[in-house]
Amino acid sequence: MKTGFYLLLYLSSAVLALPTAHAADPGQRASAPSDGTTAHDLQQELSAAQDKVARLEAELRAARLSVAELENATGTAPENHTAAVAQMVDGRPLYDSDHPRSPVQQADVIADRFTPASQQQAGAVTRLLADDIERAGIRDISRIATMVPGMQYGQSGNEARISMRGARTNRTGPEADPVVAIYEDGVIVPTTTQALGPYVDIQQIDVLRGPQGVMYGRNALAGVINVISNKPDLRGWDAAVEGTLGYGDRSRFEGMLNVPVSNTIAMRIAARADVHSGYVNNHVLEGDADDLRDRKQQYVRWMTKWQPGENFNMILNLASLDQNQTGSGIWGYQQVGAYENGQYLPGHQFAPPGSVTDFGPLNVARNFASLEDQENLSGTLTLNWNMGFAGLKWLINRSRFESQQVFDSDYSSGGDPFNSDFNGWDSFRDTFSSEVRLTSNNNGRFDWLAGLSVFNMESDWGWLETRDNVFEQPAWDATGLYTADSTAAFASAGYRINDALRLFGGARWYDDSKELRDGSKGSWSGTLWDAGLEYAFNERLNSYFKASTGYRPGGVNERSLTAVPGIPASYGQEKVTAYELGLKSMSADGTMVLNLSAYYNDYSDVQAQSFTLLPLPGSAGLMDYMRTGGDMKAKGVEAEFQWLPGSRWNISAHLAWLDAQFSNYQVPAITGLDGNENGTLSLDGWRPALSSEWSFGLQASYIFNLGPWGTFTPMIQTNYTSDYYANDLNLGGALQAAQNKTDIRAFWDLPGDKVRLQVYLENASDESTLNSINVYNPKERPEIATLLANWGDPRTYGMILSYRY
């Protein structure tokens, strides 16, 4: 689809054609909150009014000091200072026509990110605002973990494998359920494949760590990622364009246009076109045509908001994604080694004769054409109605997702380049979801929330084989639809004993069912709960204790698999009961925040992925399946810190310690490994995948005032992870050694706060990061246990030029 490209041209032309100024319409009504704020949140904000006054007084003191600093540095006339201070007290940046982009404009960085409502909320929450997202280089889900304690990111092919507090996503594809629920503008992202969509014109990203079963239901076992786009704004025109040139011949262009059509209707369009060559060099053909992991992406989102009165608004959100790229394998792209009789053998151990050996994680030789194509169409209608006693929010979504992934199944430059018994899958998914919530509006001590939700996904998917360079579903594969359904009712309530103490609790009833392509069925139901208390020592120091539960749905294995002895027909729900204690603090002057949390998570019936060789004539041989492995315990401590020492510095950091281990956990024996007994392999005491014991992140920037040339802001971001295993099997070949990765950015903002030039260097030391390993017995040599790996991105660099109307 070329829609995104042409829309970008239109947006660029529209921005250039906009007038330089617009008079404010005194009769125009301010838009309702567009960030998903509930009535309860507004009540909490109101109750913190005294806190806001104290912060404004601190800002006034800081502004006066900053004015003195400006006077000493630039000789600004004292009569200009009053207007500057007034801007600061109003919570806006301290700059004027004489001193655009003054360094003290950071005053609201902490106040906006760590609001009184979020600091009083029970639970560990990382909130990333638009500036945080830009400073961290977040363009999709893959870099969020660089800003969140206790979260690690893994990937294989076009499948996201997220780990949080010891829980990990160990299966991918059309029937897989992740352990972290992802919501985009209130709509659940149902599969690991769809999780890698682009983030364009984003208002904020909230990462809720720990089980969120009552409020979010399925897949919120380890946490939730909420991605919230900017909504149409009735208050005036707005527009932005941005262009990126960088590593891998990257050219990325994106834009945004906000149009108030009338006093009651506004539209907002956001789009991106992104192209780059492959990050994994394939040395079979000359040039970069066959390099793996390139990208050709076009994305458009069109929102329309109708607000006929102060108590009602409706938002229609239409989004389209078209992405084409060379694939890298649904379970990984490089055979890094294998075990035979317990001994590790490095390299590809079943490569066809005459194959060229890979030389390094990002230099390979593959003679079979790979691809990863995706198309996604989504439509969401959201109704917000203030009914007086409560606020109602009703969300309805329908989406259509198509995906095809094809890869070189012998992972080499040998073999037949035009024929393969098994080399990928294709999938067509229709998803419908709807949720309605009622949130109390009363100002008393009692608050409540209640809701209903439904979810349905139908997936027409199948494995692929290739005959004479044509992809098709093999005769041995099952046909029919895979369906997943979920219905839930939930409620929560809180009671404020006094100004300092609030008690809360909630429950969710759910009913899930699945039907596989061959007609195999399964259903599960249950009740989730949470309870706890919030206690405020004072306006700046809050604490909480919380107990909560979560689950990942159970599932069914296809009949062709259950014909193999030892493979179960179904597997149960994975559940967790978690206990968390937290402390949230802010300094008296509002320039420093330190939030701490300690938790203990007790996981039961943890789901395990295994592989088997199917005894079917003409089949691919290798298939994955799920079963119940056992239990897992995880405990840890997490810290988030942000400090603005003066008007120029911005320093933030996070630290996490995690101790996660399996217990009473067994998987089917894997030929070639030590430890197999009576057909099983015990993982007791082993760490789950992507669960480093220590992780640390630091981000620091300093604003240099260039006077008439604007400001220059260099920034460094570094992330450290101690060693971890890229698979639940704690094998030496799956071990990623301790590693530190550093990003460097510099921002030049021209006077007027409209034009910004950014240069960046990500993964400056060019570290190779192992972020996924799958272990199985290949059909070519079933006596060995081979390790199929996926690696993270190499060092990348580029420049970004942006203009904001």
Side-chain angles (χ1 to χ4, degrees):
M1 293 176 5
K2 303 298 183 184
T3 307
F5 174 73
Y6 290 120
L7 186 53
L8 280 169
L9 291 179
Y10 168 74
L11 285 171
S12 302
S13 302
V15 171
L16 294 175
L18 286 172
T20 56
H22 288 273
D25 180 359
Q28 191 174 62
R29 185 169 49 250
S31 64
S34 59
D35 60 353
T37 302
T38 66
H40 177 61
D41 292 333
L42 294 175
Q43 292 167 17
Q44 289 184 308
E45 296 284 0
L46 182 61
S47 67
Q50 291 180 339
D51 180 70
K52 179 66 175 179
V53 170
R55 183 167 66 252
L56 290 175
E57 291 174 347
E59 288 180 5
L60 179 58
R61 292 192 297 270
R64 286 169 175 161
L65 293 174
S66 300
V67 165
E69 179 184 342
L70 285 173
E71 183 177 1
N72 293 333
T74 65
T76 305
E79 57 268 19
N80 292 334
H81 293 171
T82 303
V85 172
Q87 286 186 338
M88 181 71 171
V89 173
D90 288 342
R92 296 195 302 270
L94 175 58
Y95 61 85
D96 55 27
S97 58
D98 294 325
H99 299 93
R101 203 72 184 179
S102 171
V104 293
Q105 70 167 315
Q106 299 187 109
D108 281 345
V109 169
I110 285 181
D112 291 341
R113 185 180 178 193
F114 301 95
T115 64
S118 66
Q119 287 296 94
Q120 295 169 9
Q121 178 182 354
V125 181
T126 298
R127 170 164 293 176
L128 304 176
L129 302 180
D131 187 58
D132 305 305
I133 294 168
E134 182 178 16
R135 287 160 58 89
I138 296 172
R139 302 288 174 172
D140 56 32
I141 200 171
S142 62
R143 286 185 58 84
I144 293 179
T146 64
M147 297 291 288
V148 180
M151 176 181 172
Q152 285 189 243
Y153 178 77
Q155 184 175 336
S156 60
N158 209 57
E159 310 289 329
R161 295 174 176 266
I162 301 173
S163 172
M164 191 178 292
R165 292 187 171 183
R168 75 286 180 259
T169 298
N170 56 342
R171 195 187 196 191
T172 59
E175 298 183 9
D177 289 299
V179 299
V180 175
I182 303 169
Y183 283 79
E184 295 182 4
D185 293 322
V187 178
I188 189 169
V189 178
T191 66
T192 56
T193 317
Q194 293 164 261
L196 280 165
Y199 295 165
V200 185
D201 190 29
I202 300 301
Q203 174 185 303
Q204 70 187 58
I205 299 173
D206 291 341
V207 182
L208 289 69
R209 309 190 301 278
Q212 308 292 327
V214 170
M215 287 293 100
Y216 293 92
R218 58 185 288 123
N219 301 334
L221 181 82
V224 171
I225 299 174
N226 262 328
V227 182
I228 302 170
S229 305
N230 285 305
K231 305 299 188 296
D233 193 341
L234 290 163
R235 293 174 295 184
W237 287 75
D238 194 8
V241 291
E242 178 182 285
T244 303
L245 298 176
Y247 174 81
D249 298 321
R250 165 160 255 156
S251 59
R252 180 176 61 225
F253 301 96
E254 59 184 72
M256 176 277 296
L257 179 64
N258 184 88
V259 180
V261 179
S262 69
N263 287 337
T264 60
I265 298 176
M267 296 188 301
R268 193 179 188 99
I269 307 168
R272 174 186 293 174
D274 188 7
V275 178
H276 67 74
S277 57
Y279 287 169
V280 180
N281 300 308
N282 190 357
H283 295 273
V284 171
L285 300 179
E286 293 291 334
D288 60 9
D290 62 342
D291 289 350
L292 308 183
R293 230 156 65 198
D294 68 352
R295 174 172 291 172
K296 302 175 186 68
Q297 181 187 85
Q298 298 176 50
Y299 173 81
V300 180
R301 183 179 65 244
W302 186 308
M303 285 191 185
T304 302
K305 180 178 182 179
W306 177 47
Q307 185 168 336
E310 294 183 358
N311 294 322
F312 179 82
N313 69 72
M314 179 177 71
I315 298 175
L316 178 63
N317 183 353
L318 304 175
S320 170
L321 169 67
D322 187 359
Q323 180 169 292
N324 310 101
Q325 57 193 56
T326 53
S328 56
I330 54 180
W331 294 315
Y333 68 86
Q334 187 172 57
Q335 298 287 343
V336 295
Y339 284 85
E340 185 175 15
N341 297 322
Q343 298 298 312
Y344 183 66
L345 307 172
H348 195 338
Q349 298 300 312
F350 60 94
S355 300
V356 176
T357 302
D358 291 349
F359 40 102
L362 300 176
N363 289 278
V364 303
R366 304 286 182 268
N367 69 337
F368 197 99
S370 300
L371 64 86
E372 289 174 359
D373 292 345
Q374 295 184 29
E375 290 187 15
N376 189 46
L377 293 173
S378 176
T380 306
L381 181 65
T382 305
L383 306 177
N384 295 289
W385 182 21
N386 184 348
M387 304 169 65
F389 74 98
L392 181 145
K393 182 174 184 177
W394 187 8
L395 183 146
I396 306 169
N397 172 266
R398 182 71 183 268
S399 64
R400 170 75 172 178
F401 180 78
E402 300 181 17
S403 173
Q404 186 176 72
Q405 299 190 53
V406 177
F407 60 97
D408 190 331
S409 59
D410 61 29
Y411 309 97
S412 75
S413 61
D416 189 338
F418 305 110
N419 294 279
S420 174
D421 290 337
F422 169 79
N423 61 334
W425 64 40
D426 64 1
S427 176
F428 303 87
R429 305 170 202 171
D430 276 314
T431 304
F432 171 82
S433 62
S434 181
E435 180 177 281
V436 58
R437 291 192 179 203
L438 272 176
T439 305
S440 62
N441 280 339
N442 60 297
N443 296 318
R445 296 184 179 274
F446 181 71
D447 60 86
W448 56 268
L449 180 151
L452 299 169
S453 71
V454 295
F455 169 84
N456 169 263
M457 182 175 70
E458 293 184 349
S459 180
D460 181 8
W461 76 275
W463 301 109
L464 291 176
E465 66 179 8
T466 301
R467 294 289 176 258
D468 297 326
N469 211 29
V470 176
F471 311 130
E472 57 187 27
Q473 188 172 2
W476 51 263
D477 192 18
T479 59
L481 292 177
Y482 164 76
T483 62
D485 293 283
S486 181
T487 304
F490 56 94
S492 68
Y495 184 76
R496 187 166 296 281
I497 305 295
N498 51 46
D499 291 342
L501 179 62
R502 176 177 177 267
L503 306 179
F504 66 88
R508 184 186 193 97
W509 169 86
Y510 63 90
D511 183 75
D512 290 351
S513 64
K514 294 180 180 180
E515 181 174 354
L516 304 192
R517 299 176 300 160
D518 64 0
S520 302
K521 298 179 182 180
S523 61
W524 305 264
S525 61
T527 303
L528 303 171
W529 58 268
D530 65 16
L533 60 88
E534 300 164 349
Y535 184 79
F537 293 97
N538 54 52
E539 294 178 345
R540 300 285 182 171
L541 183 61
N542 297 277
S543 63
Y544 66 87
F545 173 77
K546 180 181 181 181
S548 60
T549 57
Y551 82 108
R552 178 160 63 153
V556 184
N557 291 311
E558 290 189 348
R559 295 190 183 103
S560 59
L561 288 163
T562 58
V564 178
I567 296 182
S570 63
Y571 51 94
Q573 305 171 84
E574 183 174 344
K575 294 185 177 182
V576 61
T577 301
Y579 307 92
E580 182 174 334
L581 183 66
L583 190 68
K584 300 184 178 183
S585 61
M586 182 180 293
S587 62
D589 61 358
T591 63
M592 184 184 298
V593 168
L594 175 62
N595 291 346
L596 305 172
S597 59
Y599 62 88
Y600 175 79
N601 291 2
D602 186 359
Y603 298 89
S604 60
D605 298 327
V606 178
Q607 297 170 9
Q609 181 191 39
S610 296
F611 293 85
T612 189
L613 294 172
L614 282 182
L616 299 176
S619 79
L622 182 70
M623 290 291 158
D624 76 317
Y625 66 94
M626 299 293 286
R627 61 180 295 138
T628 299
D631 302 326
M632 193 255 288
K633 316 291 183 185
K635 57 181 179 289
V637 177
E638 297 167 351
E640 282 190 287
F641 172 80
Q642 186 157 12
W643 182 32
L644 304 179
S647 59
R648 299 173 184 264
W649 283 101
N650 187 344
I651 300 172
S652 62
H654 59 83
L655 174 69
W657 170 75
L658 169 66
D659 179 15
Q661 294 184 3
F662 292 120
S663 61
N664 303 316
Y665 196 99
Q666 293 183 334
V667 297
I670 302 176
T671 304
L673 300 182
D674 285 336
N676 294 321
E677 293 184 8
N678 301 319
T680 62
L681 177 64
S682 174
L683 274 57
D684 286 2
W686 288 12
R687 289 152 51 186
L690 303 180
S691 296
S692 57
E693 183 179 8
W694 289 97
S695 60
F696 171 76
L698 173 67
Q699 189 183 84
S701 64
Y702 184 83
I703 300 175
F704 292 90
N705 189 1
L706 305 181
W709 295 97
T711 62
F712 177 71
T713 309
M715 191 199 84
I716 187 169
Q717 178 175 338
T718 187
N719 288 87
Y720 167 82
T721 55
S722 61
D723 58 13
Y724 63 84
Y725 294 95
N727 187 277
D728 290 345
L729 303 177
N730 291 183
L731 306 172
L735 179 67
Q736 169 61 59
Q739 189 176 79
N740 193 84
K741 298 175 75 170
T742 299
D743 303 332
I744 300 171
R745 302 180 193 275
F747 304 90
W748 179 23
D749 293 280
L750 296 182
D753 200 28
K754 293 180 179 294
V755 180
R756 164 173 281 190
L757 176 65
Q758 175 191 163
V759 293
Y760 65 89
L761 178 64
E762 295 178 353
N763 188 11
S765 56
D766 202 18
E767 301 290 337
S768 297
T769 304
L770 186 63
N771 59 24
S772 176
I773 283 278
N774 276 284
V775 183
Y776 63 94
N777 300 122
K779 66 175 183 177
E780 294 85 354
R781 290 190 60 189
E783 75 278 7
I784 66 172
T786 191
L787 277 62
L788 178 58
N790 192 85
W791 301 86
D793 288 346
R795 175 173 52 221
T796 60
Y797 51 82
M799 65 171 59
I800 304 173
L801 180 63
S802 59
Y803 174 80
R804 183 67 180 256
Y805 165 72

